[in-house]
Coordinates of all heavy atoms in Angstrom, one line a residue:
D118 N 131.7 34.3 118.6 CA 131.8 33.4 119.7 C 130.9 32.1 119.6 O 130.0 32.1 118.8 CB 131.6 34.1 121.1 CG 130.2 34.6 121.3 OD1 129.3 34.2 120.5 OD2 130.0 35.3 122.3
E141 N 141.2 48.0 113.1 CA 140.2 48.0 114.2 C 139.4 49.3 114.2 O 139.9 50.4 113.8 CB 141.0 47.8 115.5 CG 140.0 47.6 116.7 CD 140.8 47.4 117.9 OE1 141.8 48.2 118.2 OE2 140.5 46.5 118.7
N142 N 138.2 49.3 114.6 CA 137.3 50.4 114.7 C 137.1 51.1 113.4 O 137.0 52.3 113.3 CB 137.8 51.4 115.7 CG 137.9 50.9 117.1 OD1 137.3 49.9 117.4 ND2 138.7 51.5 118.0
K146 N 130.0 45.9 111.3 CA 129.4 44.6 111.4 C 128.0 44.7 112.0 O 127.9 45.3 113.1 CB 130.3 43.7 112.3 CG 131.7 43.5 111.7 CD 132.6 42.7 112.6 CE 133.1 43.5 113.8 NZ 134.0 44.6 113.4
Y148 N 124.4 43.1 113.5 CA 123.9 42.0 114.3 C 122.4 42.1 114.6 O 122.0 43.2 114.8 CB 124.7 41.8 115.6 CG 126.2 41.7 115.5 CD1 127.0 42.8 115.4 CD2 126.8 40.4 115.6 CE1 128.3 42.7 115.3 CE2 128.2 40.3 115.5 CZ 128.9 41.5 115.3 OH 130.3 41.3 115.3
V168 N 128.6 51.8 126.7 CA 128.5 51.0 127.9 C 129.8 50.7 128.5 O 130.7 50.3 127.8 CB 127.7 49.7 127.7 CG1 127.6 48.9 128.9 CG2 126.3 50.0 127.1
P169 N 130.0 50.9 129.8 CA 131.3 50.6 130.4 C 131.5 49.1 130.6 O 130.9 48.4 131.4 CB 131.3 51.3 131.8 CG 129.8 51.4 132.1 CD 129.1 51.5 130.8
I170 N 132.5 48.5 129.8 CA 132.8 47.1 130.0 C 134.3 47.0 129.7 O 134.9 47.8 129.1 CB 132.1 46.2 128.9 CG1 132.4 46.6 127.5 CG2 130.6 46.2 129.2 CD1 131.9 45.6 126.4
L171 N 134.9 46.0 130.3 CA 136.3 45.6 130.1 C 137.2 46.8 130.2 O 138.1 47.1 129.4 CB 136.5 45.0 128.7 CG 135.7 43.7 128.4 CD1 135.8 43.3 127.0 CD2 136.3 42.6 129.3
N172 N 137.0 47.6 131.3 CA 137.8 48.8 131.6 C 137.9 49.8 130.5 O 138.9 50.6 130.4 CB 139.3 48.3 131.9 CG 139.4 47.4 133.1 OD1 138.7 47.6 134.1 ND2 140.1 46.3 132.9
T173 N 136.8 49.9 129.8 CA 136.7 51.0 128.8 C 135.2 51.3 128.6 O 134.3 50.7 129.3 CB 137.3 50.6 127.4 OG1 137.3 51.7 126.5 CG2 136.6 49.4 126.8
V174 N 134.9 52.2 127.7 CA 133.5 52.5 127.3 C 133.3 52.2 125.9 O 134.1 52.7 125.1 CB 133.1 53.9 127.7 CG1 131.6 54.2 127.2 CG2 133.2 54.2 129.2
T175 N 132.3 51.4 125.5 CA 132.1 51.1 124.1 C 131.9 52.3 123.3 O 131.3 53.3 123.7 CB 131.0 50.1 123.9 OG1 129.8 50.7 124.4 CG2 131.3 48.8 124.6
L176 N 132.3 52.3 122.0 CA 132.1 53.4 121.1 C 130.6 53.6 120.8 O 129.8 52.7 120.8 CB 132.8 53.2 119.8 CG 134.3 53.2 119.9 CD1 134.9 52.8 118.5 CD2 134.9 54.5 120.4
L192 N 128.3 47.5 114.9 CA 129.5 47.8 115.7 C 130.7 48.0 114.7 O 130.7 47.5 113.6 CB 129.8 46.6 116.6 CG 128.8 46.2 117.7 CD1 129.4 45.0 118.5 CD2 128.6 47.4 118.6
T193 N 131.6 48.8 115.2 CA 132.9 48.9 114.5 C 134.0 48.5 115.5 O 135.2 48.6 115.1 CB 133.2 50.4 114.1 OG1 133.0 51.2 115.3 CG2 132.2 50.8 113.0
Q194 N 133.6 47.9 116.6 CA 134.6 47.4 117.5 C 134.5 45.9 117.6 O 133.5 45.3 117.0 CB 134.3 47.9 119.0 CG 134.7 49.3 119.2 CD 134.4 49.7 120.7 OE1 133.2 49.8 121.0 NE2 135.4 49.9 121.5
G195 N 135.5 45.2 118.2 CA 135.4 43.8 118.4 C 135.9 43.4 119.7 O 136.7 42.5 119.9
L196 N 135.4 44.0 120.8 CA 135.8 43.7 122.1 C 135.2 42.3 122.4 O 134.2 41.8 121.9 CB 135.2 44.7 123.1 CG 135.6 46.1 123.0 CD1 135.0 47.0 124.0 CD2 137.2 46.2 123.0
N197 N 135.9 41.6 123.4 CA 135.5 40.2 123.7 C 134.1 40.2 124.2 O 133.7 40.8 125.2 CB 136.5 39.7 124.8 CG 136.3 38.3 125.1 OD1 135.6 37.5 124.4 ND2 136.7 37.9 126.3
R198 N 133.3 39.4 123.5 CA 131.8 39.2 123.8 C 131.1 40.5 124.1 O 130.4 40.7 125.0 CB 131.7 38.3 125.1 CG 132.3 36.9 124.9 CD 132.2 36.0 126.2 NE 130.8 35.7 126.4 CZ 130.0 36.2 127.4 NH1 130.6 37.0 128.3 NH2 128.8 35.8 127.6
Q199 N 131.4 41.5 123.2 CA 131.0 42.8 123.4 C 129.5 43.0 123.6 O 129.0 43.6 124.6 CB 131.5 43.7 122.3 CG 131.1 45.2 122.4 CD 131.7 46.1 121.4 OE1 132.7 45.7 120.8 NE2 131.1 47.3 121.2
I200 N 128.7 42.5 122.7 CA 127.2 42.7 122.8 C 126.7 42.0 124.0 O 125.8 42.6 124.7 CB 126.5 42.2 121.5 CG1 127.0 43.0 120.3 CG2 125.0 42.2 121.6 CD1 126.5 42.4 118.9
R201 N 127.1 40.8 124.3 CA 126.6 40.1 125.5 C 127.0 40.9 126.7 O 126.2 41.0 127.7 CB 127.2 38.7 125.5 CG 126.7 37.8 124.3 CD 127.3 36.4 124.4 NE 127.0 35.7 123.1 CZ 125.8 35.1 123.0 NH1 124.9 35.0 123.9 NH2 125.6 34.4 121.8
R202 N 128.2 41.4 126.8 CA 128.6 42.1 128.0 C 127.9 43.4 128.1 O 127.5 43.8 129.3 CB 130.1 42.4 127.9 CG 131.0 41.2 128.1 CD 132.5 41.6 128.0 NE 133.4 40.5 128.0 CZ 133.9 39.8 129.0 NH1 133.5 40.2 130.2 NH2 134.7 38.8 128.8
M203 N 127.6 44.1 127.0 CA 126.8 45.4 127.1 C 125.4 45.1 127.6 O 124.9 45.8 128.5 CB 126.8 46.0 125.7 CG 128.1 46.5 125.1 SD 128.0 47.0 123.4 CE 127.0 48.5 123.5
R256 N 142.5 44.0 119.1 CA 141.7 43.3 120.2 C 140.7 42.4 119.5 O 139.5 42.5 119.9 CB 141.1 44.3 121.2 CG 142.1 45.0 122.0 CD 141.5 46.0 122.9 NE 140.9 47.1 122.1 CZ 140.3 48.1 122.7 NH1 140.2 48.2 124.0 NH2 139.8 49.1 121.9
N257 N 141.0 41.8 118.4 CA 140.1 41.0 117.6 C 139.5 39.8 118.4 O 140.2 38.8 118.5 CB 140.7 40.6 116.3 CG 141.2 41.8 115.6 OD1 140.4 42.5 115.0 ND2 142.5 41.9 115.5
A258 N 138.4 40.0 119.0 CA 137.8 39.0 119.8 C 136.4 38.7 119.3 O 135.8 39.4 118.5 CB 137.8 39.4 121.2
S259 N 135.8 37.7 119.9 CA 134.4 37.3 119.6 C 133.4 38.3 120.1 O 133.7 39.0 121.1 CB 134.2 35.9 120.1 OG 134.5 35.8 121.4
V260 N 132.3 38.3 119.5 CA 131.2 39.3 119.9 C 130.0 38.5 120.5 O 129.7 37.5 119.9 CB 130.8 40.1 118.8 CG1 129.6 41.0 119.2 CG2 131.9 41.0 118.3

Side-chain angles (χ1 to χ4, degrees):
D118 71 7
E141 187 178 46
N142 299 341
K146 298 175 285 290
Y148 302 81
V168 176
I170 60 171
L171 299 173
N172 299 315
T173 187
V174 177
T175 59
L176 294 176
L192 297 183
T193 54
Q194 283 179 294
L196 301 179
N197 185 19
R198 300 180 68 249
Q199 180 171 342
I200 295 173
R201 296 179 187 276
R202 291 180 189 274
M203 291 170 73
R256 291 176 293 183
N257 300 289
S259 50
V260 174

